[in-house]
Amino acid sequence: MKQNNYFKTAAFALSFLSVSAFAQFDGTGYSDDLPPNPEFGKCYAKCKTPDVYETVSERVLVQEEGTRVITEPERFETADETVMVKEPSQRIEVVPAEYETVTEQVLVKPASKKVVDIPAKYETVTEKLLVRPESGQWVKKRVSASCLSANPEDCFVQCYEKIPAEYKTVTRRVLVTPATTQETEIPAEYTTVTRKVIKTPATTRVVEIPAEYKTIKKKVLANPSQTRTEIIPAEYKDINKRVLVRAGGFTGWEEILCDANVNYNKISTVQRALKEKGYDPGPIDGVMGSLTKAALEKYQADNGLPVGNLNIKTLESLGIN
């Protein structure tokens, strides 16, 4: 128990020192906060982004909505009408009885029981006991391959790294099943007999005789004379103006690819995905060049994604695992 408490105290001290070492940001994007929800092997970044504008179309009124009155004359049409020529009636029919052959089970010998002794069972089990629990620490990285800006002051990265737990193995013999007794059912014995029984008794039923109809033609008023007011729609025209879409500045913490995962295959996959989405990353060469960075930032801005780094949300949007 004393040894476990020592390891817990040591792990807490390492975590505290890592957090304290990082809380030294200046006024250009640093702060005293750390990424939320730390997980082992994950990296996070804050990046500086510029103001983003776009040209939008706005409709303006040229002529207001108006009305005019239109008179429509009455209109007649020939319609079919169904009339009854013979009323509905009923007749009574006799339904004969129905029979069926049934088979029944008759008890010859009732069920019984017998008792059987079952000995106890044991087995040897192996268990892993925790010696030192798993812990972690924040590691600050000033330069990351996932950040798109060449200026190291534009991105600040924190990675949460794991200190694995330690275990030891012990073996012991345990009781699996205690000694018991078990009752065995001896099933009953039956014989089969067959006999004829009434399935449905004789009855009567009422048969409905439907009414008879025929169709005649007659002239009917389809639409009476009426007036209606027709709306003359308003007229508009479209004008263009430039509006601020997103203010620049430092973003919040976003999960990014750690440097170990920013490699030729991953960048090539990003380039291919951008090209499929209609953004030109330049040649598919596995290099995060200026054309690839520009295409990636344009895709992020167009889709409302975090801008300025190779973050997990952008990869998921591109369909990259």
Side-chain angles (χ1 to χ4, degrees):
M1 180 63 71
K2 289 181 178 180
Q3 188 179 17
N4 287 340
N5 290 334
Y6 169 78
F7 284 122
K8 289 180 180 179
T9 303
F12 175 81
L14 285 172
S15 178
F16 178 80
L17 287 174
S18 296
V19 171
S20 299
F22 181 66
Q24 298 174 2
F25 292 171
D26 57 28
T28 63
Y30 286 102
S31 65
D32 290 335
D33 68 335
L34 284 171
N37 304 322
E39 293 186 38
F40 295 123
K42 289 191 176 183
C43 297
Y44 304 81
K46 279 188 173 185
C47 289
K48 189 175 182 180
T49 60
D51 291 341
V52 178
Y53 292 86
E54 72 176 14
T55 300
V56 297
S57 178
E58 181 179 358
R59 302 195 74 192
V60 295
L61 181 66
V62 175
Q63 180 176 328
E64 293 185 351
E65 181 182 273
T67 60
R68 64 184 174 192
V69 177
I70 299 174
T71 302
E72 295 180 351
E74 62 185 8
R75 183 173 61 85
F76 293 87
E77 65 181 19
T78 300
D80 291 335
E81 181 180 358
T82 302
V83 297
M84 182 186 296
V85 295
K86 184 177 180 181
E87 293 186 350
S89 59
Q90 296 177 336
R91 74 169 182 268
I92 298 177
E93 292 183 353
V94 177
V95 180
E98 294 183 7
Y99 294 86
E100 65 179 351
T101 301
V102 298
T103 301
E104 295 179 335
Q105 296 286 322
V106 177
L107 180 64
V108 176
K109 183 179 180 181
S112 60
K113 297 179 180 179
K114 69 178 180 179
V115 178
V116 178
D117 291 326
I118 301 174
K121 292 183 180 180
Y122 295 85
E123 70 176 16
T124 300
V125 298
T126 301
E127 296 179 331
K128 288 180 69 176
L129 299 180
L130 180 64
V131 175
R132 184 181 70 183
E134 180 181 83
S135 60
Q137 63 182 4
W138 284 108
V139 177
K140 180 176 68 175
K141 296 184 179 181
R142 290 300 300 273
V143 179
S144 173
S146 283
C147 292
L148 304 184
S149 174
N151 184 355
E153 296 299 324
D154 284 351
C155 281
F156 307 106
V157 179
Q158 281 278 2
C159 294
Y160 198 64
E161 297 185 355
K162 183 192 297 183
I163 300 174
E166 291 185 9
Y167 297 86
K168 70 176 182 179
T169 302
V170 296
T171 302
R172 61 192 179 90
R173 190 165 182 261
V174 296
L175 177 66
V176 176
T177 307
T180 60
T181 59
Q182 178 180 351
E183 285 188 346
T184 301
E185 296 285 342
I186 300 174
E189 295 181 8
Y190 295 86
T191 187
T192 302
V193 296
T194 302
R195 60 191 180 91
K196 190 175 182 181
V197 296
I198 294 177
K199 181 180 180 181
T200 305
T203 60
T204 60
R205 65 182 176 189
V206 176
V207 178
E208 299 289 340
I209 301 173
E212 294 181 9
Y213 297 86
K214 73 175 181 179
T215 301
I216 62 174
K217 294 184 179 293
K218 66 177 183 177
K219 190 176 182 181
V220 295
L221 179 65
N223 286 315
S225 177
Q226 57 185 355
T227 60
R228 60 184 174 86
T229 301
E230 186 177 84
I231 296 176
I232 303 173
E235 294 182 11
Y236 297 86
K237 71 175 181 179
D238 295 328
I239 60 172
N240 295 326
K241 64 179 182 178
R242 193 166 178 259
V243 296
L244 178 67
V245 176
R246 182 175 63 254
F250 275 87
T251 65
W253 287 110
E254 291 293 340
E255 184 184 348
I256 63 172
L257 279 184
C258 293
D259 286 355
N261 295 322
V262 183
N263 50 41
Y264 171 85
N265 289 335
K266 184 64 69 177
I267 295 175
S268 297
T269 303
V270 171
Q271 290 172 329
R272 281 190 290 270
L274 286 169
K275 192 168 185 178
E276 290 175 359
K277 297 286 186 180
Y279 296 81
D280 182 14
I284 310 300
D285 55 5
V287 177
M288 186 64 76
S290 59
L291 289 177
T292 300
K293 290 180 180 179
L296 186 60
E297 289 178 335
K298 180 72 166 60
Y299 176 79
Q300 290 171 332
D302 290 349
N303 292 273
L305 296 163
V307 179
N309 50 55
L310 195 54
N311 54 75
I312 302 304
K313 290 179 182 177
T314 298
L315 294 176
E316 289 175 348
S317 176
L318 288 170
I320 299 173
N321 185 7

